[in-house]
Every structure is written in structure tokens, then in C-alpha cells.
Amino acid sequence: MLRKITLFFIILFFPFLSKATCPSKNETLNTLQKISKLEPAQQKKRLLILLSSSEKCFGKDSVYSSILQQIATFYAKENEFENAIAYTKKAIVVNSLTKSDINRFYLETNYFYLGRYENQLGHYQIALDNLDKSIDIGKTNLKKTAYLSRAYAQKANIFSKMGDFEKAISSVDLGINFAKQTKNDEGLAFSLIEKVKTLTMMSQTEKASDNLKEVILLLEKNDPLGYLPYAYYWAGQLFTAQKRYKDAISSYRKSQQLYKLRDNTYSYSLNFLDIGFTYYQYLQDYDQALQNYLMALQTMDNAYMKVIIYDDIAAVYWKKKDYPKAFEYYQKALEVAPIGFKSKNLTEIPSVKSLQAADFKSYFLTTLQDKADTWLEYHKATQRKDYLRNALKTYILADQLVDLMRFEHSGTESKLYWRNKTHHLYEQAIETCYLLKNYEKAFYFFEKSKAVLLNDRLNELSAKQQLSPEDLLKEKSLQQKIAEFNAKLAGQNIKGTKLTKLENELLEAKEEQTAFIKSLELKNPTYYQYKYDTTTASLEDVKKYLKRPSETKNGEISLVEYFVGNEAIYAMKILHNQAFLQKISLVNYEENSKSFLKYCADNQQANQDFLGFLKVGNQLYQQLFAKLGVPKGRVIIAQDGYFLPFEAMSKSAKRAEYLLKDYALSYTYSVQFLLKNVSNESFSWTKKFFGMAPVTYQKGLNQTELTDSDKSLTKVADYFSFGKTFVNQAANKQTFFENAHNYQIVHLYTHAQADDSDQEPMVYFADSVLKLSELGALSRYKTQLLVLSACKTAVGRNATGEGILSLSRGFATLGIPATLTTLWSVENKATYALNELFYQYLSEGLSKDLALQKAKIAFLQSQAGENQLPTFWAGAVLVGDASALSSTNLLWYFVAGILVVMLAFFIWKKAKHSA
């Protein structure tokens, strides 16, 4: 045996025994390939010998760099990523030399692996930077590239870990497109697995299933790089999401066995964790769960993954009601990761500063939330108030961590995903505050639970005001570029390579925009400060807002804010001198809300079953409003869950006693939206009113004629001395873009399209449509009031934790503080009459909410029978600032008067001179 080994060694290294007998470069590369197939114990020494011999024979060339990269691969397999990075950097130095025997295209490989290794250490931004370098090189020669698609997939892997799923999908789609374009099956397989992973985490299981079938079929035929166990692992995740728990465990076992054969300890351990979680979460077999978690802990050497394992073990003891043992493991979870936190005191938690630079923030968020929930449950079992205070302290830190995570994500869908995931956190935090009677913190969590992304957008608008003209121009050009690509994709029937090319260009444009924004954050501290402002209003701020002298002259204002959780509804009433928090039963809320909205939107149903309508409206009134004791008068409502027209609720179940009679109601996305969006703009008399009524539409838009909308527009414009109106073909999209942002009031009489699905809301002009997504590319509007006289402009997808993603909300992102919008399809004549009455009272100086209340009451008094049903008047709701419109700037009148006097004097003097 010894002789055979010696003979093998001589054969393998005989070429290097002297400089005179140096092998060819091809022979050296063949030897490198043979060494890479040896057992790990034999590889390291032989690789180092080969490296030394190669340098002696050929110097530091591309062959030498290939050996360096193989040594890095060896260390990576041993989980020694620091050494892997060091050798990869050495290879980069060599391949960066300007020499004839250097193939600079090898840098594509080097930067790919450097990005991959940095990813393993959790150095995400460094990893992304290196992967981008690999991508840039790969794009220069699509025929030669080997890592382009895999680099995009690796970026997707990082974005998924960061929770930025929208970016992950964009990146992985680029990887798939390039893999197909370059016929790279390995890159295609890796990209497809990453897409399965990301779609599963986003709960898009049908799309994930299609990609899973494709990749399993591909890998079972040929799997040279060992991706099959990874595919089985994500099959387990997908089956879990589809509630196929036995299939999930079976897939994890398949994955685990394949990883064991490949000596991949990390992934082998990870399967124990997921099998344990399946038993814990879905099969409620806590003993089996604990057994698998402990096996995971024994085999796992990654500190960040131990955070999750310890947290999962703690959760088992929580379910077993062994609270002290649970807290012991929560503390281990927070201590095990390298964030500088060590404390045996079970009530202690890390500082937000220590978590700011932490990788895998979502792991810590899960642990903090679980620990806080356990403190809350421990209180319920013991009635100890100090446990509630421990819970509150932990929820506050968890919320601060959510802020840090939110600002790391750029994609809207990713942010919405985390808003949904954290909704439970806010419900538990509000319950804790309710039990402590801590109304200040309760209000804080109410506000942090809704419309945060809308407030972020308003912060962004303020931040843009800090930019130079050059940066503003650059940002606008990038937005226009993305909008043009979106328009091409939406408006043309493109297929094949042209479609792929266009999709790639769009994704690359988005990446360019992201890089530009990041550069602004680094070079402009003030921009950064405005954009990432996380301060929230206090109860005292709200009370001051409610008792502003300019507003109280129209009557006292009350505010009611709701939070709809999975277990209860919470309502907070705020007056100028007090606050009150109430817990409300969730029973029948969803059923009654759906029924009430259906009655309101369908006049035939409401007419046929009017008592049924009154009954359900009265039940909602009793459940949500009656017991709060809100004083009659002006009321602002910050809703959650369904958008309900409270004015159509009845105080009686037998006769129509609408709340409209006693309350002038307005609504808001959040209290923060009201306080941040106070408009101090002043307008000349020529910029008071801008109105559009297309009346008829281009044939391709398939919209019916809005007869007499132009006549009604003329009537309301007459309330303003220089009202500007555009009708028929003049009411086009371009005219709107060029003019609307400078006017105090903007009114649209048109059609709109929206529902509560994923379909994008849009509003129609004479020549084209304006989609919700297009509003994000626009700059701040000066407008104080937008009137959207079109169907369902307040309707859209209900994003848990954020609100209804409607057209009116989209316009709110432009800084428009108030919108008169619609909750259902509106009847034309009733809409015209109601709007004309609204402007009549508005022109008298009334606040917007009082003007709308009086308009609705006057409309009801002018109608009879079926026309008095809420279908005809309750669909129009005021969202946002309810104050009276600011009056015309008196300075303009003064200047105009002076000019008139001067002109008259000049004419008189000239006439006198002529005489």
C-alpha cells in the first residue's frame, strides 16, 4: 500500500522535481483537477506544493491564480471562510496584472467566489459589491461567461436573507434569463432554486411549485455541482407552506441524507431545525420538535443559526408552560451571536446600537418578539405587572429593529411583506399597553402599525428638497427611464429574445437607480437625516393639533384611531384634553363589515332589504363607536382593516338615524400623515382651481361617455375667479402632468378602475391611463385638495399593517394632504349634485369636513325614496386634512392693486402730455 502511495506521489509531482522538467500549463491544470477530487485531508498539502511549483515554472500567471482559487475552495469547504477570502484576494491581485500570460476574464470567477464567501460570513454589502464586479465582467462576453447567471442568483440569495424579496426576484429573474441565453444548466438550476426559495417566503406557492418541478427534473438528469439536496430542502419549505407536512419532512430527510454524503455539516444540521419546526408549529408534537432542535444544536457551528435554534428550543418550553426555562434559552439566543451582548439577567436585552450593525436582523427580531410574547403570557399566568413592563421594553426594541430592517429594503413588496409579518407584534404590544393603561405607548404602537411606508415616502419628498439641481435631474432621468421600460412592457406584445432583453434592461435600470440613491445617502447627510426620520408624534402633539385656534372656530375636534388584530380590536379616543383606550370584541366584525359595504354599494340590495341594512349598520355602530362616547361634531377617524363609511351607520336598527346628522367625519391613513402633511402653501387667484373632464375616451380605452361631467365641472369652477378647466381631448395625461401640481384644488371627473385584488388601480384620461405605480415617479405636489370623482378611487389591495393601496393613497404619496375620494361605483347625477353642493359650502369658508357633511345633508333633503340610500351619497369620503382651504395670498391683491394704480397714472399722464 505504501509503495502505491509513493508511486502515485512520484507520478503526480515528478514534473516539478526540477525546473528543466516543468510540465506544460495544460498538464498543470490537469493535475489541479485531479487534486480537487482527492479527500480533503490529502488536498491542502498537495495544492500548496503545486502552487509553489507553478510559480517556479511559470511565474504568477493565470494558472497560478487558478491554483490560488482552488485553495480558497478547499478552505470554503472546511468552513474557513477567512482563509478562503484571503486566497481569493491573492488570485484577484494576480489576475489584475497587465501581462500577456494573464487572462483577465478569470476575474469573473474570482469576484463571484469572493462574493459568495463574504455572503457566508454575513458581510452582505461587501458580497454584493464583489458579485456586481463579477457580473460586469461576465456581461462583456456572453459566449465565454461561466458565472453570470450564478452571480445574479447569489445576489438573490443575499437579498432573501436581508428580507428584500422584491430585489431577490428581480435579481434571480436576470439570472434565469442569462442562464437560458448562455445555455448554462448549472446556472439555471441554481437560479431556479433561488426563485423557489424567494417565492415560497413570499407565500406565492403556485409560482414556486412550477419552478420546483422544472429544477427537480433538470437536476435528477444531471447534477454535477450537487444542487439536488438544496432543491429537496426548498421542496420541504414549499410543502410546509402548502400544509403538506409529511411530504415536507420526507423532503427534508432526502436533503439531509444527500448533505451527509457530501459532508456538508451546516446544511445537514439545518434540516434538523426545519424538521423540528414542522413538528412544533404544525403537528404540535413538542417532544419530537425538541429532539430535532437539540440535534441541530449539536451539529451546528454557525453562531447566527444558533440564535434561531436557541429561540426554537425556548419556544418549546414556552408551549410547555416552563417559562423560566424558556427565558434561559431566549437569553442564550441573544448572547450566542457576535453583537457584544452578554448578560445572565433574564430581563436584560441588547441595545438598539448593538443590533444596528448585526447581520441576520430578522433572526433577532423573531427572538425578541417571542421573548416579549412569553413575558406577556407569563403575566397572564401570574398577574405580575413587572412581567408586563419586561414585555413592553422588549416590544419597543423589536419595533426599533423593524425600523432598521425597513430602511435596508428598497422594494415596496418587500417592505409590505415585513409590514404583514410584524402586525402580530403590534397587536401584542398594544395589548400590553392596554393592560398597563399606558396610553402614550399604546398610541405609539397604533401609529407604527399603519401607513408607515406612506410616511416614509413623505420623508423622501422632504429629503429631495435637500438635493442639488444636478442630483434632482439625475434622479428624474432614472425614474423616467424605468417608466419608459415599464410602458414598453405593458403596451406591446413582445416575445422571445426581445422580451428577455427588455426585462433585463428594466432590471438593470432599477439597479442603477438603487445604486444612485445609496450614493446620495452617503454624500448628503441632511438628505439621509430627512429620509430616515423615525420620530413619531406624541399624544401631546395630537392634542395640540386638535385644539388649533384656526380649527376650533368650526367646532371641537375628536380623533378615533383603530387597530384590528387577529384576536381583538382596539380603539383609542383622543380629545384635546384626554385620551382613552378600549378593547373591543372581534366577533362578527369581518362578516358585518363585508355585508355593510355590500349594502352601501348596491342600492338595489339596500332597497330590497333596508331593515337588514340598518341592522348591520347599527351592529357596527354599537361595536365600534357607540361605547366610546365621542362628542357630537367634527371627528377624524384613522381606520384599520376595512374602510367603512361611518356616516352611513345608523344609531337605530329600525329607522334611518345616520351618524351623518351628528358628525362631520373625515378619515386619515394615520395620525402621523395628518401632522407631517400640513400645507402652508399660498396660491394666487390664478392657481386656485384646476379641473378635468374627458367626457369621451379614445376607443382603445373602452370607457363609456361621462355625459354632463363637463357641465358640472364648469359649475364648480365658477366658484373660483380664474378656474382652469380642460374637457374632451384637452383632458389628457400630459396636460395633467404639466399643470396639476401647481394648483390648490385639482378635480377629476373621469373613470377609474380598482378592486381589492392585486390588479393595479388606474385612472383614465381622454387619451391614456395613469397607473398607481406611475405616481411614485412624480415630485411633490403643492395641491391642498384633490377631488377624485371617479369610481372606487379609495379601493385597492388591503396590505395588512399598511392600509388600502388605492389611487387616493397613491396621490397622498405626492404630499397632497386631503383627497375627496370614492368607496364604490358612483352614480353620475348624484355625484355632480353632491360635488356642486360641496364646493358651495367650501367657498363659504367652511372646513372641508363640515362642507361635505352639509352637502350630504342638503342632498338627502333634496331627494326622496331610493335616491336617499347611502349608495348615492356615502361613497364620497374625505381622507386627510379637514381644515378650511387657505385663502388667496393677500400680497397678490396688494401688488395687483399697485400695478393697476400705476397703469392708470401712466395712461392719464400720457393722455395729458398728448393734449
Side-chain angles (χ1 to χ4, degrees):
M1 182 66 185
L2 180 61
R3 184 181 175 189
K4 287 182 180 178
I5 292 173
T6 305
L7 184 61
F8 173 78
F9 184 82
I10 292 171
I11 292 170
L12 190 61
F13 293 104
F14 182 77
F16 310 127
L17 293 180
S18 71
K19 176 96 175 183
T21 55
C22 281
S24 68
K25 292 186 178 183
N26 283 337
E27 287 173 332
T28 304
L29 291 172
N30 288 335
T31 302
L32 179 62
Q33 192 173 11
K34 290 175 184 177
I35 294 174
S36 68
K37 295 177 181 178
L38 297 175
E39 290 297 316
Q42 301 174 12
Q43 277 191 41
K44 182 179 177 182
K45 185 177 180 180
R46 298 183 181 185
L47 283 169
L48 291 172
I49 293 171
L50 185 63
L51 182 70
S52 176
S53 301
S54 177
E55 185 178 8
K56 288 176 183 177
C57 289
F58 315 116
K60 293 183 178 181
D61 63 353
S62 291
V63 174
Y64 180 80
S65 76
S66 297
I67 301 170
L68 286 170
Q69 190 63 65
Q70 188 59 45
I71 295 171
T73 302
F74 162 78
Y75 280 118
K77 287 179 179 177
E78 296 297 302
N79 292 325
E80 296 182 33
F81 293 108
E82 289 86 355
N83 285 331
I85 288 168
Y87 274 94
T88 303
K89 286 182 176 179
K90 288 179 182 179
I92 288 171
V93 170
V94 173
N95 286 326
S96 298
L97 297 172
T98 308
K99 291 170 61 180
S100 60
D101 55 355
I102 295 291
N103 185 344
R104 291 179 64 83
F105 205 77
Y106 281 16
L107 285 170
E108 180 199 29
T109 307
N110 303 145
Y111 283 122
F112 169 78
Y113 280 108
L114 187 56
R116 188 172 180 179
Y117 302 151
E118 295 285 7
N119 177 16
Q120 290 292 333
L121 291 177
H123 303 156
Y124 294 149
Q125 193 53 55
I126 298 172
L128 290 169
D129 290 343
N130 283 292
L131 290 168
D132 281 336
K133 290 176 183 177
S134 177
I135 287 167
D136 289 341
I137 296 166
K139 283 181 183 176
T140 63
N141 193 334
L142 293 182
K143 292 181 179 179
K144 199 173 180 181
T145 179
Y147 289 93
L148 182 57
S149 58
R150 289 168 64 188
Y152 274 115
Q154 189 70 209
K155 284 184 70 175
N157 179 279
I158 294 169
F159 289 134
S160 291
K161 286 180 181 177
M162 294 170 69
D164 198 339
F165 302 119
E166 193 170 347
K167 268 191 177 180
I169 289 293
S170 295
S171 190
V172 83
D173 279 343
L174 279 168
I176 290 169
N177 289 341
F178 279 119
K180 290 179 178 178
Q181 195 173 340
T182 58
K183 299 181 180 178
N184 184 339
D185 284 349
E186 290 83 4
L188 178 60
F190 189 77
S191 299
L192 284 169
I193 295 170
E194 284 301 323
K195 190 163 186 180
V196 170
K197 170 185 174 181
T198 307
L199 290 170
T200 300
M201 294 176 80
M202 295 178 75
S203 301
Q204 297 183 19
T205 56
E206 287 187 20
K207 292 179 182 177
S209 292
D210 293 338
N211 286 280
L212 179 65
K213 289 172 187 174
E214 184 179 353
V215 74
I216 292 286
L217 190 65
L218 184 67
L219 291 173
E220 285 181 342
K221 289 179 181 177
N222 184 33
D223 184 26
L225 298 179
Y227 290 154
L228 188 57
Y230 190 49
Y232 278 131
Y233 171 79
W234 278 102
Q237 294 279 316
L238 177 57
F239 290 144
T240 300
Q242 294 174 330
K243 300 182 180 180
R244 296 163 57 185
Y245 304 123
K246 290 184 178 180
D247 289 336
I249 291 172
S250 175
S251 291
Y252 291 139
R253 296 288 187 206
K254 286 180 184 178
S255 173
Q256 194 172 45
Q257 291 308 309
L258 289 171
Y259 278 130
K260 189 175 183 180
L261 290 172
R262 291 168 168 79
D263 291 323
N264 188 330
T265 307
Y266 175 85
S267 300
Y268 175 74
S269 176
L270 205 60
N271 284 124
F272 278 122
L273 186 62
D274 286 284
I275 293 167
F277 186 75
T278 305
Y279 279 118
Y280 166 85
Q281 184 71 21
Y282 307 110
L283 301 176
Q284 280 79 52
D285 188 337
Y286 300 127
D287 292 331
Q288 277 290 330
L290 188 58
Q291 182 180 331
N292 279 278
Y293 288 153
L294 291 171
M295 285 297 296
L297 193 61
Q298 288 174 21
T299 53
M300 177 60 70
D301 56 8
N302 182 291
Y304 284 104
M305 282 310 303
K306 284 184 177 180
V307 175
I308 291 295
I309 298 171
Y310 278 126
D311 177 67
D312 286 342
I313 293 171
V316 171
Y317 286 113
W318 170 21
K319 291 296 182 183
K320 287 174 172 260
K321 309 296 182 186
D322 189 346
Y323 300 111
K325 196 75 173 175
F327 288 120
E328 180 185 325
Y329 277 97
Y330 286 133
Q331 210 65 4
K332 288 181 179 180
L334 295 171
E335 288 180 338
V336 71
I339 61 169
F341 173 73
K342 298 289 179 186
S343 176
K344 298 302 177 186
N345 184 343
L346 301 182
T347 66
E348 289 297 313
I349 52 177
S351 66
V352 68
K353 188 176 181 180
S354 66
L355 292 171
Q356 190 167 5
D359 297 312
F360 304 100
K361 289 184 177 65
S362 61
Y363 296 0
F364 292 100
L365 177 61
T366 300
T367 300
L368 289 169
Q369 188 171 340
D370 287 347
K371 186 176 184 182
D373 289 349
T374 307
W375 279 122
L376 178 56
E377 190 170 309
Y378 203 10
H379 158 77
K380 292 177 181 178
T382 62
Q383 297 303 304
R384 284 185 55 171
K385 288 278 186 181
D386 56 325
Y387 292 168
L388 280 177
R389 288 189 283 273
N390 289 339
L392 180 58
K393 177 175 69 173
T394 312
Y395 284 129
I396 290 171
L397 179 60
D399 170 69
Q400 291 171 330
L401 187 54
V402 169
D403 282 341
L404 293 176
M405 292 171 65
R406 190 172 82 250
F407 294 136
E408 289 178 354
H409 305 155
S410 61
T412 302
E413 288 301 319
S414 298
K415 291 181 179 183
L416 290 174
Y417 170 85
W418 285 107
R419 298 299 299 151
N420 182 39
K421 292 287 283 185
T422 55
H423 195 63
H424 173 74
L425 183 158
Y426 294 118
E427 180 174 6
Q428 298 292 88
I430 291 169
E431 182 183 9
T432 301
C433 295
Y434 172 76
L435 293 170
L436 284 169
K437 293 184 170 57
N438 188 334
Y439 297 155
E440 184 68 53
K441 285 300 179 187
F443 175 70
Y444 169 85
F445 286 116
F446 266 85
E447 283 296 290
K448 292 306 288 287
S449 75
K450 55 167 67 77
V452 171
L453 302 190
L454 172 57
N455 289 319
D456 285 350
R457 169 63 176 159
L458 295 176
N459 284 345
E460 193 176 327
L461 290 177
S462 298
K464 284 181 182 179
Q465 295 176 352
Q466 314 305 315
L467 297 180
S468 66
E470 294 79 14
D471 285 336
L472 282 169
L473 189 63
K474 170 75 170 174
E475 189 214 27
K476 189 173 182 179
S477 69
L478 287 171
Q479 288 176 335
Q480 287 176 342
K481 188 176 179 182
I482 291 169
E484 286 168 7
F485 283 131
N486 278 320
K488 286 179 183 178
L489 285 168
Q492 300 178 33
N493 186 20
I494 307 170
K495 295 180 181 178
T497 56
K498 286 186 178 180
L499 176 62
T500 301
K501 184 175 182 292
L502 197 57
E503 287 174 338
N504 288 349
E505 287 173 338
L506 171 62
L507 293 169
E508 288 169 6
K510 287 181 177 180
E511 287 192 344
E512 185 184 358
Q513 183 189 45
T514 301
F516 174 69
I517 290 170
K518 287 295 179 187
S519 73
L520 292 178
E521 293 169 5
L522 289 171
K523 75 178 184 181
N524 191 329
T526 310
Y527 173 86
Y528 185 92
Q529 181 183 347
Y530 273 89
K531 185 177 179 182
Y532 296 113
D533 179 18
T534 60
T535 56
T536 55
S538 66
L539 273 178
E540 193 57 37
D541 293 330
V542 181
K543 290 174 183 177
K544 287 178 182 177
Y545 178 84
L546 295 177
K547 63 180 181 182
R548 290 171 297 163
S550 61
E551 289 307 299
T552 51
K553 67 182 181 182
N554 284 313
E556 295 292 325
I557 309 174
S558 308
L559 188 145
V560 180
E561 185 162 18
Y562 292 94
F563 178 91
V564 179
N566 295 324
E567 298 172 8
I569 301 170
Y570 293 89
M572 177 168 274
K573 177 184 72 175
I574 306 172
L575 307 179
H576 74 274
N577 58 355
Q578 62 172 283
F580 171 72
L581 179 61
Q582 185 174 39
K583 186 176 183 179
I584 300 169
S585 170
L586 198 59
V587 175
N588 295 329
Y589 164 76
E590 185 163 353
E591 177 187 338
N592 283 343
S593 296
K594 287 180 179 178
S595 178
F596 181 63
L597 287 170
K598 195 173 180 181
Y599 274 120
C600 284
D602 187 344
N603 61 301
Q604 290 185 354
Q605 183 180 347
N607 195 36
Q608 291 168 4
D609 185 18
F610 189 63
L611 284 177
F613 162 67
L614 290 178
K615 181 181 177 182
V616 74
N618 177 256
Q619 286 174 347
L620 284 170
Y621 163 72
Q622 296 294 339
Q623 182 179 27
L624 299 175
F625 199 78
K627 296 174 185 176
L628 294 176
V630 180
K632 292 181 181 180
R634 303 175 65 195
V635 180
I636 304 166
I637 297 178
Q639 301 213 50
D640 193 28
Y642 293 95
F643 197 137
L644 303 172
F646 276 63
E647 48 267 78
M649 293 177 188
S650 177
K651 296 169 75 172
S652 169
K654 295 181 179 179
R655 58 186 177 276
E657 293 184 13
Y658 298 125
L659 294 193
L660 173 69
K661 180 182 176 183
D662 296 327
Y663 297 98
L665 293 161
S666 63
Y667 303 88
T668 184
Y669 304 107
S670 69
V671 179
Q672 194 81 351
F673 173 74
L674 287 179
L675 272 61
K676 270 192 175 181
N677 218 16
V678 176
S679 173
N680 296 315
E681 295 283 351
S682 58
F683 298 84
S684 70
W685 63 78
T686 62
K687 297 292 184 181
K688 295 290 285 183
F689 182 87
F690 173 92
M692 280 188 153
V695 186
T696 59
Y697 303 82
Q698 284 188 3
K699 288 184 179 179
L701 298 177
N702 299 318
Q703 297 299 307
T704 57
E705 182 177 335
L706 274 178
T707 308
D708 294 335
S709 59
D710 52 341
K711 295 177 182 177
S712 182
L713 185 65
T714 301
K715 287 182 182 178
V716 299
D718 284 344
Y719 285 106
F720 307 93
S721 301
F722 293 89
K724 192 77 171 175
T725 60
F726 295 85
V727 298
N728 300 316
Q729 293 306 303
N732 56 63
K733 187 175 174 180
Q734 189 62 33
T735 301
F736 177 81
F737 279 169
E738 290 173 355
N739 295 277
H741 60 281
N742 283 321
Y743 283 82
Q744 184 178 27
I745 301 172
V746 174
H747 189 124
L748 298 181
Y749 267 132
T750 186
H751 288 294
Q753 183 175 312
D755 56 33
D756 57 4
S757 68
D758 284 337
Q759 181 179 347
E760 186 175 16
M762 59 185 72
V763 64
Y764 289 84
F765 292 94
D767 61 332
S768 57
V769 299
L770 173 62
K771 294 183 178 179
L772 177 62
S773 58
E774 293 179 72
L775 296 174
L778 303 180
S779 300
R780 181 185 285 274
Y781 273 41
K782 294 180 181 179
T783 307
Q784 289 182 344
L785 172 64
L786 172 68
V787 181
L788 292 172
S789 294
C791 298
K792 299 182 179 180
T793 50
V795 175
R797 173 161 64 107
N798 189 351
T800 303
E802 188 59 26
I804 307 293
L805 305 182
S806 63
L807 269 171
S808 54
R809 186 185 186 278
F811 279 106
T813 66
L814 302 179
I816 299 175
T819 306
L820 186 59
T821 184
T822 54
L823 292 171
W824 51 76
S825 297
V826 290
E827 199 275 330
N828 293 346
K829 289 183 179 179
T831 300
Y832 303 155
L834 195 60
N835 279 327
E836 290 159 20
L837 287 164
F838 171 67
Y839 281 106
Q840 176 189 323
Y841 292 114
L842 197 64
S843 68
E844 294 173 4
L846 289 178
S847 60
K848 302 182 199 80
D849 53 351
L850 284 171
L852 186 59
Q853 181 196 30
K854 286 184 175 293
K856 288 180 176 180
I857 290 172
F859 175 83
L860 275 170
Q861 290 171 346
S862 70
Q863 303 296 315
E866 183 182 345
N867 288 340
Q868 290 186 321
L869 291 170
T871 308
F872 298 97
W873 55 268
V877 290
L878 177 66
V879 181
D881 176 39
S883 60
L885 289 170
S886 60
S887 57
T888 302
N889 192 340
L890 293 176
L891 179 63
W892 282 96
Y893 287 115
F894 177 75
V895 172
I898 294 294
L899 289 173
V900 169
V901 171
M902 289 175 65
L903 181 63
F905 177 75
F906 176 77
I907 293 170
W908 172 78
K909 192 172 181 181
K910 189 174 183 181
K912 185 178 179 182
H913 178 73
S914 298

